[in-house]
Amino acid sequence: MRLLHSLNQKCGFFSICKRGLMDTVYISHGSPMMAIDESIPARKFLKTWQQIFKERPKAILVISGHWDTKEPTVNVVNRNDTIYDFYGFPKSMYKLKYTPPGAPLLAKRVKELLMENGFKRVHEDKTRGVDHGTWVPLMFMYPEADIPVCQLSVQTDRDGTYHYNLGKALAPLREEGILIMGSGATTHNLGTMQPSGSPVPSWALQFDTWLKNALLEGRYEDVNHYDSRAPYGKMAHPWPDHFYPLHVAMGAAGENAKAKLVHHSWDNCTLSYASYQFTARK
């Protein structure tokens, strides 16, 4: 608790002031093409973000499906570089820049909370910037790029419950003005993608509907065990990297949190852009 204490002494960036609990969110960022393709419906949703979510966060903690490490790792930088972690896309995408301030104090706080809650090894990456799972949605949500951003990695050799507990450990950040944002994809089987406008296959619809019902009904334990309880769980997520950010956002909101579907659309036939907001019950 020493770090929290010292941060509280300063009524600055990271001081805990009297304010409401921040909600947590899970954003389906889908294809990197959203950065330049104005026809993708989720892009329009993200551009209205500040009209819908009016409370400005002090900083943003993003759990992105594009950063997978053996053990939890935070990026500790003063300024985030733009990472182009995609290949074969239009050249204009590699000219886009989103370089928000880093959040080194938040990174240290995340590390502290995780270690206090049984995550014995938490690493610091002092060179990594923001991958496209972070900067593509944020360039529409907060285009000014003036809010400090920190990333936390996922561990794909672990399970949903592990990531839910990771989120539970981070819950105090909601009282500190931090937006906890999972960024992934509600369905993510790239080998099944087809041209936009193609009919959505039954397996994708069934998984997407099951997840929506489970979240809205508060059946978070079912979501933690989606691989055995959801229809076509393995088909929707052959690899869990883009799904575990949901578990972190869900866990950080608390077991009694109320889930809300804030956007839903499809693209490339099998990519669901379903996005959720989690509000803690008082």
Side-chain angles (χ1 to χ4, degrees):
M1 297 299 291
R2 289 192 299 274
L3 174 60
L4 174 59
H5 227 17
S6 64
L7 292 170
N8 279 344
Q9 298 304 312
K10 311 169 185 176
C11 201
F13 160 67
F14 218 100
S15 60
I16 299 178
C17 303
K18 293 293 183 182
R19 60 190 297 162
L21 287 174
M22 296 287 289
D23 292 343
T24 69
V25 295
Y26 173 71
I27 301 297
S28 288
H29 65 253
S31 168
M33 284 296 294
M34 184 166 63
I36 61 171
D37 187 347
E38 296 183 4
S39 71
I40 296 177
R43 173 182 166 126
K44 299 179 179 66
F45 157 66
L46 293 173
K47 291 182 78 170
T48 67
W49 182 265
Q50 292 187 56
Q51 300 171 31
I52 304 169
F53 300 89
K54 299 185 183 298
E55 185 170 6
R56 179 182 170 88
K58 286 186 177 181
I60 304 170
L61 175 64
V62 182
I63 302 89
S64 167
H66 290 278
W67 193 16
D68 180 14
T69 60
K70 186 69 175 177
E71 294 172 316
T73 306
V74 287
N75 73 324
V76 186
V77 296
N78 291 317
R79 175 69 60 176
N80 283 293
D81 293 327
T82 308
I83 300 174
Y84 305 101
D85 52 338
F86 44 78
Y87 309 95
F89 286 84
K91 291 182 179 179
S92 60
M93 292 181 61
Y94 301 93
K95 297 178 181 178
L96 296 171
K97 297 284 185 184
Y98 191 86
T99 57
L105 287 180
L106 173 57
K108 300 285 188 182
R109 177 75 170 125
V110 168
K111 181 176 181 178
E112 175 187 65
L113 286 170
L114 292 179
M115 295 187 74
E116 285 178 354
N117 284 275
F119 295 88
K120 295 180 180 180
R121 294 176 63 86
V122 181
H123 303 278
E124 299 180 12
D125 188 321
K126 298 185 178 180
T127 61
R128 184 182 175 88
V130 286
D131 59 56
H132 82 267
T134 295
W135 66 261
V136 169
L138 286 184
M139 70 183 288
F140 300 114
M141 297 164 67
Y142 298 102
E144 301 85 0
D146 58 354
I147 298 177
V149 175
C150 173
Q151 281 201 208
L152 170 65
S153 64
V154 296
Q155 287 72 64
T156 52
D157 61 344
R158 307 303 293 264
D159 60 12
T161 299
Y162 167 92
H163 287 85
Y164 182 83
N165 289 332
L166 197 76
K168 283 177 66 177
L170 300 173
L173 296 177
R174 295 183 295 112
E175 301 177 37
E176 301 166 20
I178 307 304
L179 174 62
I180 299 172
M181 172 179 139
S183 179
T186 302
T187 54
H188 193 251
N189 187 331
L190 301 184
T192 65
M193 290 169 54
Q194 299 291 329
S196 297
S198 303
V200 179
S202 175
W203 66 262
L205 286 170
Q206 287 188 54
F207 179 85
D208 187 70
T209 300
W210 177 88
L211 178 64
K212 179 185 71 174
N213 291 338
L215 290 175
L216 298 187
E217 294 166 10
R219 294 188 283 113
Y220 300 143
E221 191 64 12
D222 283 348
V223 180
N224 285 342
H225 298 279
Y226 77 96
D227 48 346
S228 60
R229 299 183 186 181
Y232 301 103
K234 194 67 175 176
M235 186 74 172
H237 291 280
W239 198 247
D241 50 359
H242 277 56
F243 203 48
Y244 286 161
L246 168 66
H247 294 86
V248 180
M250 194 169 69
E255 60 185 20
N256 295 316
K258 178 70 173 176
K260 178 182 179 182
L261 178 67
V262 292
H263 175 75
H264 189 271
S265 60
W266 293 91
D267 196 40
N268 296 115
C269 184
T270 62
L271 275 182
S272 170
Y273 281 81
S275 296
Y276 293 90
Q277 173 187 6
F278 298 93
T279 303
R281 295 181 192 269
K282 297 181 180 179

